[in-house]
Amino acid sequence: IAACTRASCCSVCWLAAYRAVPEHVNSAANMSQPLRESSARRMSEDLHAPVCSDLDWHDVKTCLFAQPGDHLRELAKCMNLAQHYYQELKTIVGNSGRKFAEIAAAYFDNKPFDGYVKLSERRSMLRRRLQTSDFVPGRPFSHSTVKHLRTLEYSGNDASHAGNGLSPDQKPAIVDAMFAIAQQLAAPLLGNRLGQCPQ
């Protein structure tokens, strides 16, 4: 499946694409079982709502899930988990953001995401690519991208600590950082229908 012409009504597309993937691929996502359908929960109803709209988030998430290749599909799964548990489990929001950052960084560096590489090291590699404009063909990024990856890395660390860990008012920054990166990847496929992401 390539670009979806109307991603905002694509829960059926999400489920159809999900079922088309071998079960061993679907079960690879951790933090409980991956959701079997696109979450319809509204993050905008939370006391600490993100800047990105529910509709734009859904459009981008669904678009990435419909693309070939594991990286973009796994990014969409991370977005789906963060959305689904946004109002009740801030730890999953933080950990989903961290996993999203690891996969996105690997994607921009044209590396597999199944091996362990410190996210800080991956960000350093991306900064070096920025300095020389040595982008993987079709996968450009900006200084803002690296900044968003750092936000997700640090928030994910907070979410993994015992005690207070991640605070609820950190959730919007996590989701908006995820959206900013996801929007960059989906924009060529969705055109100009999306609102502007935070910089």
Side-chain angles (χ1 to χ4, degrees), residues 138-160:
R139 301 182 186 184
F141 56 92
S142 65
H143 288 285
S144 293
T145 306
V146 179
K147 182 191 73 173
H148 293 314
L149 292 173
R150 182 179 184 275
T151 296
L152 296 174
E153 177 184 1
Y154 282 41
S155 298
N157 291 344
D158 290 342
S160 299

Side-chain angles (χ1 to χ4, degrees), residues 68-168:
D70 291 340
H71 286 79
L72 300 184
R73 186 179 295 269
E74 290 299 324
L75 291 177
K77 288 183 184 180
C78 292
M79 294 176 71
N80 206 41
L81 275 175
Q83 173 188 350
H84 196 74
Y85 294 108
Y86 191 84
Q87 298 191 51
E88 50 193 319
L89 293 173
K90 62 182 186 292
T91 299
I92 287 186
V93 177
N95 285 331
S96 295
R98 169 66 187 243
K99 182 179 178 182
F100 179 99
E102 292 176 356
I103 298 170
Y107 178 79
F108 286 120
D109 202 29
N110 198 29
K111 298 292 193 301
F113 61 83
D114 53 353
Y116 176 73
V117 176
K118 288 184 179 180
L119 187 50
S120 58
E121 294 178 5
R122 189 80 79 188
R123 285 193 295 108
S124 295
M125 297 176 192
L126 296 182
R127 282 195 297 268
R128 287 195 292 271
R129 284 187 179 275
L130 268 174
Q131 292 170 357
T132 59
S133 297
D134 180 27
F135 301 117
V136 175
R139 301 182 186 184
F141 56 92
S142 65
H143 288 285
S144 293
T145 306
V146 179
K147 182 191 73 173
H148 293 314
L149 292 173
R150 182 179 184 275
T151 296
L152 296 174
E153 177 184 1
Y154 282 41
S155 298
N157 291 344
D158 290 342
S160 299
H161 292 317
N164 293 330
L166 189 73
S167 63

